[in-house]
Amino acid sequence: MKTLQEVDDVVLDFSRQQRIGLPEAVLCEGKTAPQLVRILQLCEQNKTAMLLTRLSSEAFRLLPGKWKKSLDFDPVSRTAFFRKPQMAAGVSRVAIVSAGSSDTRVVLECQRTLAFAEHPCTVIQDVGVAGLWRLQKRLKEIAAHPIVIVVAGMDAALPSVVGGLVAGALIGVPTSTGYGVATGGHTALHSMLASCAQGIAVMNIDNGYGAACSALRMLNSFERLR
Amino acid sequence: MKTLQEVDDVVLDFSRQQRIGLPEAVLCEGKTAPQLVRILQLCEQNKTAMLLTRLSSEAFRLLPGKWKKSLDFDPVSRTAFFRKPQMAAGVSRVAIVSAGSSDTRVVLECQRTLAFAEHPCTVIQDVGVAGLWRLQKRLKEIAAHPIVIVVAGMDAALPSVVGGLVAGALIGVPTSTGYGVATGGHTALHSMLASCAQGIAVMNIDNGYGAACSALRMLNSFERLR
Amino acid sequence: MKTLQEVDDVVLDFSRQQRIGLPEAVLCEGKTAPQLVRILQLCEQNKTAMLLTRLSSEAFRLLPGKWKKSLDFDPVSRTAFFRKPQMAAGVSRVAIVSAGSSDTRVVLECQRTLAFAEHPCTVIQDVGVAGLWRLQKRLKEIAAHPIVIVVAGMDAALPSVVGGLVAGALIGVPTSTGYGVATGGHTALHSMLASCAQGIAVMNIDNGYGAACSALRMLNSFERLR
Amino acid sequence: MKTLQEVDDVVLDFSRQQRIGLPEAVLCEGKTAPQLVRILQLCEQNKTAMLLTRLSSEAFRLLPGKWKKSLDFDPVSRTAFFRKPQMAAGVSRVAIVSAGSSDTRVVLECQRTLAFAEHPCTVIQDVGVAGLWRLQKRLKEIAAHPIVIVVAGMDAALPSVVGGLVAGALIGVPTSTGYGVATGGHTALHSMLASCAQGIAVMNIDNGYGAACSALRMLNSFERLR
Amino acid sequence: MKTLQEVDDVVLDFSRQQRIGLPEAVLCEGKTAPQLVRILQLCEQNKTAMLLTRLSSEAFRLLPGKWKKSLDFDPVSRTAFFRKPQMAAGVSRVAIVSAGSSDTRVVLECQRTLAFAEHPCTVIQDVGVAGLWRLQKRLKEIAAHPIVIVVAGMDAALPSVVGGLVAGALIGVPTSTGYGVATGGHTALHSMLASCAQGIAVMNIDNGYGAACSALRMLNSFERLR
Amino acid sequence: MKTLQEVDDVVLDFSRQQRIGLPEAVLCEGKTAPQLVRILQLCEQNKTAMLLTRLSSEAFRLLPGKWKKSLDFDPVSRTAFFRKPQMAAGVSRVAIVSAGSSDTRVVLECQRTLAFAEHPCTVIQDVGVAGLWRLQKRLKEIAAHPIVIVVAGMDAALPSVVGGLVAGALIGVPTSTGYGVATGGHTALHSMLASCAQGIAVMNIDNGYGAACSALRMLNSFERLR
Amino acid sequence: MKTLQEVDDVVLDFSRQQRIGLPEAVLCEGKTAPQLVRILQLCEQNKTAMLLTRLSSEAFRLLPGKWKKSLDFDPVSRTAFFRKPQMAAGVSRVAIVSAGSSDTRVVLECQRTLAFAEHPCTVIQDVGVAGLWRLQKRLKEIAAHPIVIVVAGMDAALPSVVGGLVAGALIGVPTSTGYGVATGGHTALHSMLASCAQGIAVMNIDNGYGAACSALRMLNSFERLR
Amino acid sequence: MKTLQEVDDVVLDFSRQQRIGLPEAVLCEGKTAPQLVRILQLCEQNKTAMLLTRLSSEAFRLLPGKWKKSLDFDPVSRTAFFRKPQMAAGVSRVAIVSAGSSDTRVVLECQRTLAFAEHPCTVIQDVGVAGLWRLQKRLKEIAAHPIVIVVAGMDAALPSVVGGLVAGALIGVPTSTGYGVATGGHTALHSMLASCAQGIAVMNIDNGYGAACSALRMLNSFERLR
């Protein structure tokens, strides 16, 4: 019988950027260290940059030193860049707004995915509605962006309030912040889906990467329509 | 074998008002018309007033004419008074605030329970946060009440915003308004329980009666402490 | 005590179009006929058009004749227009793609909301992946739109396949089509949220209206960026 | 790209005490050690006391020595006081009643939150209804308090029995004590929400902090009404 | 192809009484009128009595007149006897205790199943713990029975209190009485399963028939051990 | 705007039989009468037979007389044949085994789908394990079939017992028979998926049509391998 | 403020044995080591035996040496006896039957609780229905006991088969054995509650202790009736 | 009282291969090391080969050295062979197709179970539909197998697409790959059960072993029909 190492278990989609304008990325959760090494080897051979998501500090630690050094790794967002992209200058078209500082890990996953695609963005954190003055102080700045990503856990009331005040495209990212009925983020998810504000498009729980991709799809369309 | 009519299946708690200061009430859902008649007969014999809740128009229609006439029935809130109490004058200490006009049936159940206990209250409807100006316009009036009951369905973002702006006792009542993930009111319930605003005490879904009882308990304590 | 008719239970948000570029709409589910009439009266006084959603044939039938006649009502999508808008000519920027013909009611709710906002759109139905040739035949046409709304029930595999082939902004609408584990649409919802394709933004189950609003938010931003 | 340390991710609500009469508190779960340090630094600069909740022994251990020493930390309730308040003398207006000794961690979170707000309270533990004599022995003492907080896990039958015997304001806190269907505390939560006793207002699972805040809101209103 | 009428779709278990001492019974829910007629014909041919459960008034109405007349039908418990048994005299060894009068339909299903097996029982209704005096008044009578069946919906606190006071075998039957989180009876079921009182054995929601069978199994064992 | 009738909302997959050896079928649930007529018209134009599933008696009644007459409709299984196939003679290779007579509607949906594909089958009903002798009496007959489909609701213990005694391919179909925790069929579904017997492949709840298709796939492979 | 050690948080129910014939027991899960020590001290002062349940090896390890030595601890069942009872001789009236060897921990919790109450029992393990011969070989022995406790996880088909073959009192204990849909034991629980066999009374998941208490209640009643 | 070691808690089903053509296997999860040793001793005495599933690296490590050496252990699939079978040559009749490389552990469990039963198979990994070209490249090869097992997590769209293109018997295995709504694999399970493609038979989450057994049942029937 073939051993795991001999099995051909990784097929990378190097044409994705060209086909749909989104960068190739790899979800590391559930993958073994040998699988991750094979993926990085394929990228190296192919001279391609790669975004790694859900790479825990533990999984990063298990990589061989050579590959560890090749990565720009951020432990809070659990993301890594293979072949770091040039940071984009220019106008920020995306605002990432969060309800609390416990949402930082999701905010950073989103920000770093946009950065990997060479898009700058504006980050405005800890402006949840329990202290409404925090949001009101930053509202004009938020509303100036054509795309607003709202990251919130627990009751996720923030996107409903933002949605009633801001005209641009709105993406909600529920987080698994909280305990009791908030555990796992399902309350935040359902709250966003059932929002009394119109036209909030919602991502999976903690999916900052997906929110960035949704924003990239819109930015692609903006470019095309110019 | 005994028939249903012979079975002694109703034991009313006529000492409740005296014991814990709350009016005797009967949940009509799941009770047959003969059971409801036996309950009203017991009240008549005992010269006691009685609040009936969850009395559907259909169940009301099935009561004998004599008993129908004896009731002050409201089809929207599905409540009825047996022996209508005198309406209370005096200062309103309870504000009932709702997010949308679909919540009216719960608002009225709450208002009528307070009325049955001879307490006036202030009703402020349709001030959900998707149009924040609606709440801001009424905020001062709401904050003037020592007890605020917030009724909301769907994402139930309203109590979180109110909770951050108002200092008094706060009771949340989730409603089953909405569809998809909002069906049945579980999203509103969980959203209130996980609220980022502090100290919101929550009732069962659609339980306007319970919210009124919770307010009555507080009013009882207020009286005692004077 | 005040009767229901005297209670001031409706506060319309006539500034919404101006504030966030979305048309005022009313969710009719859970509202009584007198409440709906009061809403239409307010619109008439205000000379405003209004979109009614989730208006069942039964609820429509219960309206007084005068108000019935004032509405352009569609029983399949359960929508009605008060003061019918002019139909938009011009280029279609939104494609609505559905998996099966059982999804028609949601497709039409979406299409009619866009129409009410005077935006044309392209409708491509019954191209689910069990017969992949149906999608492949229409793929080029779909990909030509900057915004693609995918409507699907049951396993909702369609948005994942479309998401891997199309570069534009992508909105998923799960439907409650199906039985057993598909009942209520939760499987379709979760499938879209967990899609292996990147950047699909998801709406509440059966929320064709919300998908249209999300598209309108993007179109608003497109306009602003020109 | 900015590093995490440079990001401005904490916005404290120092006006909360003044605005709604509740102390500023920070939920530590999900926050990194550097974030907690930044929060304590802001409090120190601002000369403000702060209540930390859900601070695990592990998270406490990761704080720098200087900040560890500045805190009055209790590992059972996972709370810490920055700038310890003076303990309140005077009459206890709040009774905290628990069903079993496994609920102690929630009882203490509640007690310490009240203490931080300088309110004394009375704690009566392990009086669950399986041995009804335990409750009956303490009933008169409990009933003497205008506010009663009942903490219970598993089937949470205690608040229903207390609710039928005590007239004051009643707050239920379900706990995650138990296994099988009781795991996570959802059975206790639902049992309290569906209680056959009237007017029990319910908090999120294990939310002793929230119960204290709800009591503080009532005490604020009591003060105002005097 | 064979039509439904020709298919041999009913196989009755006439040896059950002899094998395990429980009467043959038929769950009518989901069966067509022709199937029910075939079952009754088989009983008639076999000269066997039969208990029908979950026979709705509507399903009863659809039976041919001859078969309707052959049945002792009770619409509240939805049970019918084919070949009515002799009513048992003698000592009652089973007490059926219910929390509220909305539980009557389940109480009667239980009582009639015992009656069909020729066992008398004692019924004590509407003694829920919100008015604890009601239970205390009947406690001695309840405790005198070796088997106690407790029927309760909503929070189902009654069995926990009874379980702490009564020494005999204890069977809990949750009912689907209630709304919101109590809908469907899952809260009552979970509350009984997680009871703080020891040794409560629990049946499916609304399963009065099953509770009677459980009691019959115990009575069978009692007989054997004498 | 286009009316519903003008929208091109049905795309039939007439190449399915040729492509994957399964007959074209239409799920009628959620489709309007005009949509069903358009489907039948397309079949007539194409001279194709068609299987209709989930066609309720009510939906059948709403079809125009011409189309009603064209169908071989069975109300119990809610299936209809357009262009009735010739009944297959020959050896039966599929046994359909059910636990109770309430499962008949699903058994017939399965049987009629096989019949539509011109495969005979053997039906053995009401042999649930509560009376194990019923199964033992028919076991040899069941085991003689290379494919066994087991249909069961409630606890679905039958497939586990059959799975331990029979060597052939085994397909489980959970049904929504039952009440309380069995409501909707999820207990039966989960019980089959978690079966202690090896190699039971499971279909969606009540999906007799799908079980027949799974059997047809196997029969196709059998043919190919000969 | 009082420290945890000063709080009077344990109230033991030493009259339970006398009141309802069940031994005092303590659920150790969720209790701190100091709380457990206080409990054991109270037992020592009171010269009472005590059963400890859910005492993990880790929690046992954290007890002071003196108390560790005073306990008869079994790590598989996680139970401990303080003041070991004399082992009962005499006839076994309870059979504990399990489906698989993974259920041993629950079987032993049940067996040791009965032993603590000085009742012998018969244990028959690993006779699940996937190999029906295993059960058939032991059936006569099982049926000879007036009380049969069936312990099973995953699909829990065993109690349904036993229930159809055995006449005595039947108690089902679902276990959390299994993965996927079986995780946590909810499938086994629901399967037992929805069993097609009559009169199976069910305990909480993994609650071997409760099953023993239910059997003890029956044995108490047997004694009384002699 | 008997100790655990003395209890006769393992009854192996050595006749299974002969009775239903499937190899004896042992689920190791929940079993103690002494139990596993007893099982291996019984196999040695009986000169039988044995497949061990769900044997974690930790549980393997705890086995005595002699038994560790006797096993062919694979840590990724968590399977071990006692008495390694000869590897089968000959034609592969089963294709195992996976959506992503995170599904490898389930693919290998399936492959090794088939290998243990001496059946070769073809493994095609990482061909999920987000990059449809990956599947299209391998489609002809997949379709050449009479049995196709599809392993997929998250939205599990792959089996729906394969099911529309391939005629053979189709078995779906959902995996617990993913986060948020995908956690635990329920979304993948429900998606497969509700697939728009016909005749996909589904296994429990992560049950690669069961999928292999289902394929073995089909292969047994193929043999018989030749």
Side-chain angles (χ1 to χ4, degrees), chain B residues 16 19-25 93 143-147 162-171 189-190 193-194 197-204 207 209-210 213-214 217-218 220-222 224-226, chain D residues 16 19-25 93 143-147 162-171 189-190 193-194 197-204 207 209-210 213-214 217-218 220-222 224-226:
Chain B
R16 191 190 293 167
R19 204 170 70 245
I20 58 169
L22 298 179
E24 172 72 333
R93 292 210 168 129
H145 291 81
I147 301 171
V162 170
L165 298 169
V166 161
L170 206 51
I171 300 166
L189 170 65
H190 290 167
L193 286 165
Q198 293 85 353
I200 303 178
V202 184
M203 308 308 303
N204 192 8
N207 193 3
Y209 163 72
C213 287
S214 180
R217 285 179 174 276
M218 294 177 201
N220 288 347
S221 288
F222 290 171
R224 229 184 345 152
L225 286 178
R226 285 194 162 215
Chain D
R16 192 190 292 165
R19 205 170 69 245
I20 57 169
L22 298 178
E24 172 71 332
R93 291 207 168 132
H145 291 81
I147 300 172
V162 170
L165 297 170
V166 162
L170 207 51
I171 300 166
L189 171 64
H190 289 166
L193 287 165
Q198 292 86 351
I200 303 177
V202 184
M203 308 309 301
N204 192 7
N207 193 3
Y209 163 70
C213 287
S214 180
R217 286 180 173 275
M218 294 177 202
N220 289 346
S221 287
F222 290 172
R224 230 190 337 158
L225 285 177
R226 285 195 162 214

Side-chain angles (χ1 to χ4, degrees), chain A:
Chain A
M1 190 179 356
K2 277 190 169 180
T3 67
L4 179 62
Q5 281 70 23
E6 297 162 308
V7 173
D8 182 23
D9 62 344
V10 176
V11 186
L12 294 179
D13 185 13
F14 289 124
S15 67
R16 192 190 293 165
Q17 174 70 46
Q18 193 177 327
R19 203 170 70 245
I20 57 170
L22 298 178
E24 172 72 332
V26 162
L27 177 76
C28 300
E29 217 166 64
K31 292 197 174 59
T32 60
Q35 285 180 317
L36 292 177
V37 167
R38 276 201 294 288
I39 287 167
L40 293 171
Q41 283 169 333
L42 284 169
C43 294
E44 196 173 51
Q45 284 159 25
N46 217 49
K47 298 186 197 306
T48 325
M50 172 68 74
L51 174 65
L52 303 170
T53 65
R54 306 272 154 166
L55 181 67
S56 67
S57 293
E58 178 61 17
F60 177 71
R61 206 182 51 73
L62 291 175
L63 291 176
K66 171 193 163 180
W67 295 111
K68 269 216 261 294
K69 270 176 223 143
S70 76
L71 295 175
D72 166 4
F73 174 62
D74 172 59
V76 174
S77 62
R78 293 177 295 159
T79 53
F81 299 165
F82 179 76
R83 297 179 161 253
K84 196 176 180 169
Q86 280 202 303
M87 275 311 95
V91 179
S92 155
R93 291 206 170 133
V94 181
I96 308 177
V97 181
S98 85
S101 50
S102 297
D103 303 320
T104 296
R105 65 205 154 75
V106 179
V107 167
L108 287 183
E109 189 187 65
C110 187
Q111 178 197 34
R112 278 176 57 93
T113 302
L114 289 168
F116 184 76
E118 297 175 37
H119 281 278
C121 67
T122 309
V123 172
I124 295 167
Q125 292 191 83
D126 207 9
V127 294
V129 299
L132 198 59
W133 59 269
R134 301 184 298 186
L135 177 65
Q136 285 166 328
K137 213 171 121 185
R138 309 295 295 271
L139 191 60
K140 211 170 156 185
E141 187 182 354
I142 295 167
H145 291 81
I147 300 172
V148 178
I149 296 171
V150 185
V151 180
M154 305 207 300
D155 58 340
L158 181 60
S160 293
V161 173
V162 171
L165 297 169
V166 162
L170 206 51
I171 299 167
V173 190
T175 67
S176 54
T177 302
Y179 58 90
V181 298
T183 305
H186 294 272
T187 293
L189 171 65
H190 289 166
S191 185
M192 286 185 185
L193 287 165
S195 175
C196 55
Q198 292 86 353
I200 303 177
V202 184
M203 308 308 301
N204 192 7
I205 297 159
D206 289 338
N207 193 2
Y209 164 71
C213 287
S214 180
L216 289 171
R217 286 179 173 277
M218 295 178 201
L219 293 168
N220 288 347
S221 287
F222 290 171
E223 285 312 305
R224 232 189 335 159
L225 286 177
R226 284 194 166 214

